Amino acid sequence: MLFTTGKAITSLDDMKDLRLGTEDSSQMKQVIPMWGAEAVTLPPDEIALALRTDRIDGAESTLPTYVDSGYYQLAPYWTYDRHSYNADVLVASSETWETFSQEEQTIIERCAAEAASWQRDHWQSAEVRAMLHASRSGCYMALLDEEQAEKFRAAVQPIYEHLSDAQKEVVQAVQALADSD
């Protein structure tokens, strides 16, 4: 999500000339300028001060962080744009996996599926709680319509051209999962 001090972001045009705080992420340092804004790299503990001193006009983060960190008190406009998702991933090396019996692998797979379902439900609840808190505190929420969301996606398409084939496969798999929800 994106949050700002002066106006809601309802279109790609609203990004023009904004200074948006972001953590030191090579991805977001590429994406934000493609949207027409300036990416200002900041450690998380400096975002509030940067908002107070007008060093930045807003930032990108998750909805629970927006509320839990008190940013909603400094930047009352937020846009639920879905530009990123928190993905908790369970990983095991194939070498380690092969040391487990078939029964152990089945148990682990079942537990992983249960944990994934719990995590999705937990995250969704955290987002709803944060959304309600921000709204009840007088913050304004903007939700990009599909036309504007597509403009945001189209603006960052050049990033995909530089991915390896393996990275492109991962992106396609993630997009397929997102489309299935």
Side-chain angles (χ1 to χ4, degrees), residues 14-67:
D14 292 335
M15 296 291 286
K16 186 170 174 39
D17 300 325
L18 288 178
R19 295 162 302 169
L20 294 180
T22 186
E23 292 185 33
D24 192 11
S25 158
S26 62
Q27 177 188 3
M28 290 313 297
K29 288 190 292 190
Q30 289 179 341
V31 166
I32 291 172
M34 290 176 161
W35 287 338
E38 176 187 348
V40 179
T41 303
L42 295 166
D45 62 345
E46 290 184 23
I47 290 176
L49 178 60
L51 288 166
R52 282 189 195 96
T53 59
D54 295 325
R55 181 173 171 208
I56 58 175
D57 302 302
E60 63 88 27
S61 190
T62 66
L63 191 48
T65 299
Y66 172 66
V67 170

Side-chain angles (χ1 to χ4, degrees), residues 97-118:
W97 185 251
E98 291 170 6
T99 66
F100 296 125
S101 68
Q102 182 60 46
E103 180 183 2
E104 291 169 326
Q105 289 177 358
T106 301
I107 291 169
I108 292 169
E109 287 172 342
R110 236 183 288 133
C111 290
E114 186 178 326
S117 177
W118 179 88

Side-chain angles (χ1 to χ4, degrees), residues 89-161:
V89 180
L90 180 60
V91 179
S93 74
S94 56
E95 185 177 306
T96 300
W97 185 251
E98 291 170 6
T99 66
F100 296 125
S101 68
Q102 182 60 46
E103 180 183 2
E104 291 169 326
Q105 289 177 358
T106 301
I107 291 169
I108 292 169
E109 287 172 342
R110 236 183 288 133
C111 290
E114 186 178 326
S117 177
W118 179 88
Q119 191 279 336
R120 276 191 297 276
D121 291 345
H122 181 73
W123 184 254
Q124 187 174 36
S125 294
E127 282 194 319
V128 168
R129 283 192 306 274
M131 189 180 300
L132 290 171
H133 185 84
S135 296
R136 290 176 181 151
S137 298
C139 296
Y140 175 83
M141 179 188 105
L143 179 62
L144 295 180
D145 63 27
E146 190 53 41
E147 178 184 345
Q148 287 304 317
E150 181 54 39
K151 287 181 181 181
F152 274 75
R153 283 190 291 271
V156 299
Q157 285 306 305
I159 288 176
Y160 294 101
E161 295 168 12

